[in-house]
Amino acid sequence: MHERTRRAGRRRAWGRTALALGVLLALPATAEAESRCGDPAQRPWCDASRTPEQRTALLLRAMTIDEKLGLMAGDQLASSEATGVSDGVPRLGVPRMRHSDGPFGPRVGRATAMPGPLALAASFDPALAAENGAVIASEVRHKGSDLVYAPTVEPMRTPLAGRAFEGYGEDPYLAAETAVGWIEGAQRQGVIATVKHFAPNSQEGEGGLPPLTGIEGSRGLVDARIDERTLHEIYLPPFEAAVRRAGVGAVMCAYNSLNGQFACENRRLLQHVLRDQWGFGGFVVSDYYAAMKSTAASVNAGTDQEMPFGLLYGPLLLRAALATGQISEAAVDRRVGAILRTMFRFGVFDRPAFRADDGAIDRPAHAAVARRTAEQGAVLLQNRRAALPLPDRPGSLAVIGEVATRYKGGGGSSNVQPFAFRDPLAAIRARAGGARVRYDPGRDPVAAAAAAKGADAAIVFVEDYASEGTDKPCLALRCAPLDPVSGRPLGQIGLTDPDAVVDAVARANPRTIVVLETGGPVLAPWADRVGAVLEAWYPGQEAGPAIARVLFGDVDPGGRLPVTFPARDGDWPTARDRRQYPGVLLRAEYSEGRRIGYRHYDALGIAPRWPFGHGLSYARFALADLRREPGPGLVLSARVTNVGTRTGTAVPQLYLGRPSTGPDDAPRALAGVAKVQLDPGGSTRVRFPLDDRAFSTWDVAAERWRVVPGCHRVQVGSSSRDLPLSGRLGRDAACADEVPLADVARCRARRTVTIALPRGLRSARVTYGGRRATVRRSRGRLRARIALARVPAGRVVVRIRGRDSRGRPVRATRVLRTCAVSAGRPATRARR
């Protein structure tokens, strides 16, 4: 994550043949360079030396209007071959394209069932996200598909959301960093990633009618009312990063409305923001049936393709819209052109069709990534009296809970059938050697307590139920939507009260360990009565070995919370106002503004059960020496040391607190993360690059990011509530407790330094240390030249007095830190 600054300027160059060629070169030898397009002499758009834009223009001129309209919708429902299909135009060599779910893996036949995306986010590791993207895209390719519907990136607004397990948590920075890694890993496989759901699909709705959506707050009907600043600062950054940094090929528009317009026909969202502001050059595909509102509005707003087949984008309705002038052929060309340009960019025309062949999937390698992701995403929430790790050779263990014996995943488009499943009970038995391991399914508290009594440790596995199509009724473990036919709880939940089982086991055995397999935050009223709590999320097909290795200390639990766990019912955002969630009269007011997740808890002073970013290690770490690194750009660093007796994983986090800019401000926001593994006694310096965006707010009137002047508080620690290191950074301001420079020895001797004065100044007088600086205009901005040799080493305040273009007075200060050098002259240490 600390490479955010380096990556921020990298943009995909749409229309460059080199990119398509690079994708082809990344493919394995089974996909040899063999064009499906045809002879370039007969079909000039098949000439791979041309840019995607040139090829698209040539092809559009050759297509009939019916062929163009045919590409604007899918051609069949989900099948055993693919989640969706576009048949192409055989007459002109436009290839068939297959689409696939998903976030957990392809949902065609069997596949490697990866841990849930929330578990991946808990790893706080974009490099691991890239590996996950590569694994899933590789299997999508070997299932014969060209495009994958993933990743899901909207920040979690309410923990009741049915698809919270499919996303990357409650923080936009963490979601953006994870998404960029995932997309880059996936698209290196030659598969088109589809970031979703734009924007923001924050709820499924109450009602519990899978596969339909609940009526109250239904995702298909609800109107999300969000102010522009909140939209740009909270809900859009992961999508922006996917477009501008990762070069995502496709965007899926959401079911819901946004500020009065359905997302798939929201011109401001799809054209003004996505294409005009961010420069998106791929294509927009509708979520399944999400564009079923207005043909003309969807076409004119920017939805390029309706899936899974043409309802509003059927030939008759499109023809009628053309005939009545509601849409133009130029608009059709824009929609179809976006699809073709993306296909050219990813080499779809220039390679053989991906062949469905499960035998080509590297199952052992993919299973290893799945296991490592489950380990690195597992969060040790508490560990009282050193309940974990378990001893190498325990005398006896009790394992309670049916989920310890079966695969656990989310419902809906993430319902992947694993190639193989290795269950936790079998893995614990294998790892425990000859120890006696008793098992009880956990349906009856009395029987569970009897199984746990007398064992060296009791491990209780509990779960929740989460699925696309319905939100949770509450955060208690026993909560699950009811099947409308049978009236029974969906999934395995509700057969008993899991909280009662945990309480009974904890009374019977003082060394009780709870393993949570949940899709998001849950209430834990028994937390003070158990020894350890391990959050394993939806751990995927390698749940058994991963959980066993963490429990026995073979690997350090690498995860940190990407979501806040509330201590009490109703503490979470939106919990106390039905106008916020699920909404009233199908209108959800996002009146909490930017205070979602930990921002809500921090701003209102609510103590969570376990805070965002929290997670324990079997090692102990100390953080010290928060400094600013010398050199170009703004880089802060801190030293982390393993002061424990075991090798462990540390995840230092940096938070920024801006000067107040509005009533819904929060005390701090995540702005940097580093993840390191250290042996006992090991120490390293972790670095957090910060760019202007980290100090900025969205200026609604100017429609751009604006740096907030003043003193910004910097805090570094192990969670949003454990931040032992702090300091300040000034933007156009001198601040007390400023973060000092890291290494004096690295200062460069300089006689002078030139600083840029605030923008918009017509004239200025600059003084420092009783002296007056030389002020000149350069590149349209006033700059002051400071003679460093004439000031003492230390802290020098530069005072700026000037007038702007309207003659109004402007006052500002800057701080220069200097240090002595061998020549006796001071050298610049830092500049604000």
Side-chain angles (χ1 to χ4, degrees):
M1 288 188 185
H2 56 275
E3 295 186 350
R4 177 182 181 182
T5 303
R6 176 181 63 80
R7 289 161 137 185
R10 189 172 68 231
R11 300 275 302 276
R12 289 293 190 272
W14 302 94
R16 293 175 62 184
T17 305
L19 184 52
L21 178 61
V23 169
L24 289 173
L25 292 176
L27 299 181
T30 54
E32 297 172 359
E34 175 189 317
S35 174
R36 283 184 285 172
C37 189
D39 183 0
Q42 303 297 322
R43 297 171 173 172
W45 55 88
C46 297
D47 181 357
S49 67
R50 299 178 188 267
T51 67
E53 282 82 2
Q54 291 169 338
R55 299 174 75 180
T56 298
L58 290 167
L59 180 52
L60 284 173
R61 285 198 288 270
M63 296 176 73
T64 67
I65 187 64
D66 287 334
E67 288 168 339
K68 293 175 184 178
L69 299 182
L71 281 183
M72 292 177 63
D75 293 298
Q76 68 178 51
L77 286 168
S79 67
S80 59
E81 293 182 349
T83 307
V85 174
S86 173
D87 282 337
V89 184
R91 181 181 75 88
L92 300 174
V94 179
R96 192 181 207 212
M97 274 226 306
R98 288 189 172 95
H99 298 196
S100 170
D101 283 326
F104 276 66
R107 202 159 54 95
V108 174
R110 294 187 176 273
T112 301
M114 302 298 289
L118 198 59
L120 176 60
S123 74
F124 278 56
D125 189 345
L128 186 58
E131 291 186 57
N132 275 249
V135 164
I136 291 176
S138 172
E139 298 200 4
V140 164
R141 190 181 74 233
H142 289 305
K143 297 285 186 179
S145 289
D146 308 274
L147 179 147
V148 59
Y149 295 147
T152 303
V153 302
E154 52 260 37
M156 188 192 78
R157 180 184 180 230
T158 170
L160 298 175
R163 300 182 84 170
F165 67 92
E166 278 192 14
Y168 294 144
E170 67 192 25
D171 182 77
Y173 173 84
L174 178 63
E177 297 300 314
T178 309
V180 168
W182 197 99
I183 292 165
E184 290 181 339
Q187 294 192 160
R188 279 196 289 267
Q189 295 292 315
V191 170
I192 302 168
T194 308
V195 67
K196 60 181 188 175
H197 308 86
F198 194 59
N201 187 175
S202 299
Q203 61 192 67
E204 298 296 287
E206 295 181 343
L209 301 175
L212 302 177
T213 304
I215 298 301
E216 193 67 48
S218 163
R219 68 180 182 183
L221 300 172
V222 71
D223 182 14
R225 292 285 176 160
I226 312 174
D227 68 273
E228 284 293 315
R229 185 175 172 191
T230 296
L231 187 64
H232 281 269
E233 293 189 16
I234 299 295
Y235 296 101
L236 294 187
F239 292 98
E240 182 183 3
V243 171
R244 304 183 76 169
R245 294 169 53 197
V248 72
V251 171
M252 178 178 281
C253 56
Y255 287 103
N256 54 275
S257 291
L258 174 64
N259 295 329
Q261 288 184 308
F262 284 104
C264 289
E265 54 190 54
N266 192 312
R267 183 174 178 82
R268 178 169 181 80
L269 190 66
L270 300 181
Q271 183 63 47
H272 181 68
V273 173
L274 180 62
R275 293 183 169 97
D276 296 343
Q277 289 184 358
W278 299 347
F280 178 61
F283 72 101
V284 175
V285 59
S286 77
D287 205 340
Y288 277 38
Y289 315 109
M292 296 190 299
K293 314 314 189 286
S294 165
T295 299
S298 298
V299 171
N300 293 327
T303 297
D304 301 307
Q305 190 172 65
E306 183 186 11
M307 293 300 289
F309 51 77
L311 293 171
L312 291 184
Y313 278 19
L316 289 178
L317 287 179
L318 287 171
R319 274 286 191 181
L322 276 169
T324 57
Q326 296 178 74
I327 63 174
S328 65
E329 189 165 353
V332 170
D333 283 355
R334 285 194 292 273
R335 303 287 73 84
V336 177
I339 299 168
L340 296 175
R341 186 169 57 248
T342 307
M343 293 173 71
F344 281 124
R345 176 198 169 201
F346 280 86
V348 177
F349 284 80
D350 306 319
R351 58 165 171 78
F354 289 145
R355 188 164 61 92
D357 180 8
D358 280 4
I361 295 173
D362 191 344
R363 297 189 194 183
H366 292 186
V369 176
R371 191 208 73 208
R372 191 151 43 83
T373 302
E375 294 167 356
Q376 290 303 304
V379 185
L380 184 57
L381 297 174
Q382 75 178 41
N383 194 19
R384 293 178 174 162
R385 301 181 297 278
L388 289 176
L390 296 171
D392 273 344
R393 297 188 176 278
S396 64
L397 295 173
V399 176
I400 315 294
E402 194 172 351
V403 73
T405 66
R406 55 177 168 76
Y407 173 73
K408 178 65 181 178
S413 61
S414 292
N415 188 16
V416 172
Q417 299 302 309
F419 279 132
F421 175 63
R422 304 170 70 188
D423 67 84
L425 176 60
I428 289 169
R429 280 177 166 155
R431 178 61 180 80
R436 184 163 62 104
V437 179
R438 291 177 296 206
Y439 167 70
D440 182 87
R443 295 180 179 176
D444 175 57
V446 175
K453 190 172 183 179
D456 288 348
I459 309 166
V460 186
F461 284 77
V462 292
E463 61 180 324
D464 70 351
Y465 178 86
S467 174
E468 176 182 3
T470 182
D471 290 338
K472 294 181 180 180
C474 71
L475 287 190
L477 284 168
R478 66 180 179 277
C479 280
L482 300 179
D483 186 298
V485 177
S486 67
R488 292 171 61 84
L490 293 167
Q492 301 292 317
I493 312 303
L495 300 176
T496 187
D497 184 347
D499 293 327
V501 172
V502 174
D503 272 329
V505 172
R507 286 194 298 270
N509 193 312
R511 192 173 185 177
T512 295
I513 297 143
V514 177
V515 178
L516 297 169
E517 293 193 23
T518 67
V522 293
L523 296 176
W526 33 258
D528 294 337
R529 297 186 289 280
V530 302
V533 183
L534 179 71
E535 175 60 85
W537 313 107
Y538 293 165
Q541 71 173 47
E542 299 299 306
I547 291 172
R549 279 164 55 83
V550 171
L551 291 175
F552 281 89
D554 300 328
V555 63
D556 202 47
R560 303 297 184 264
L561 284 182
V563 290
T564 304
F565 276 57
R568 293 170 296 277
D569 191 26
D571 278 356
W572 57 89
T574 75
R576 301 181 184 276
D577 190 342
R578 287 190 66 83
R579 292 170 298 178
Q580 293 178 338
Y581 172 82
V584 175
L585 299 178
L586 296 174
R587 174 169 165 158
E589 300 286 352
Y590 284 51
S591 54
E592 74 281 359
R594 291 164 291 149
R595 290 181 177 177
I596 72 166
Y598 63 92
R599 292 167 168 83
H600 160 83
Y601 292 86
D602 292 348
L604 299 184
I606 300 171
R609 171 72 69 185
W610 294 296
F612 175 88
H614 169 73
L616 303 177
S617 166
Y618 293 142
R620 292 187 303 113
F621 298 98
L623 283 166
D625 197 23
L626 176 61
R627 300 280 178 172
R628 178 174 178 173
E629 294 289 298
L634 175 55
V635 180
L636 302 186
S637 69
R639 181 159 294 280
V640 57
T641 303
N642 185 343
V643 296
T645 59
R646 298 175 59 100
T647 297
T649 300
V651 187
Q653 303 152 41
L654 182 144
Y655 294 80
L656 281 180
R658 292 183 307 211
S660 180
T661 58
D664 59 346
D665 280 331
R668 63 190 66 89
L670 184 69
V673 169
K675 187 170 186 176
V676 294
Q677 187 178 75
L678 293 173
D679 294 329
S683 182
T684 190
R685 184 165 286 279
V686 293
R687 290 169 172 80
F688 307 98
L690 298 171
D691 56 15
D692 281 350
R693 180 72 169 266
F695 300 91
S696 297
T697 186
W698 180 255
D699 188 324
V700 175
E703 291 197 277
R704 64 178 179 85
W705 292 96
R706 175 178 58 83
V707 172
V708 178
C711 296
H712 297 250
R713 185 170 183 80
V714 180
Q715 295 176 287
V716 176
S718 58
S719 79
S720 60
R721 288 295 180 97
D722 182 9
L723 299 163
L725 305 184
S726 66
R728 294 185 183 275
L729 290 174
R731 301 304 298 254
D732 291 334
C735 306
D737 303 321
E738 287 198 343
V739 178
L741 194 73
D743 186 2
V744 173
R746 292 172 62 184
C747 290
R748 281 194 302 140
R750 296 175 62 184
R751 292 179 177 272
T752 62
V753 64
T754 300
I755 62 171
L757 304 188
R759 296 185 183 276
L761 284 183
R762 182 183 66 188
S763 61
R765 176 188 176 97
V766 178
T767 58
Y768 63 100
R771 300 181 181 278
R772 184 171 175 176
T774 302
V775 177
R776 293 191 178 94
R777 187 172 296 277
S778 174
R779 296 192 294 275
R781 190 171 180 181
L782 290 181
R783 300 174 190 275
R785 187 179 185 187
I786 310 297
L788 296 174
R790 306 186 70 178
V791 296
R795 180 174 179 271
V796 179
V797 178
V798 179
R799 304 186 185 281
I800 304 165
R801 303 288 186 271
R803 292 190 178 275
D804 64 16
S805 59
R806 296 185 180 181
R808 295 174 298 192
V810 175
R811 293 190 176 187
T813 58
R814 298 283 179 85
V815 176
L816 292 178
R817 291 188 178 275
T818 62
C819 63
V821 296
S822 59
R825 302 187 186 92
T828 304
R829 292 184 64 187
R831 186 169 80 209
R832 307 256 197 283

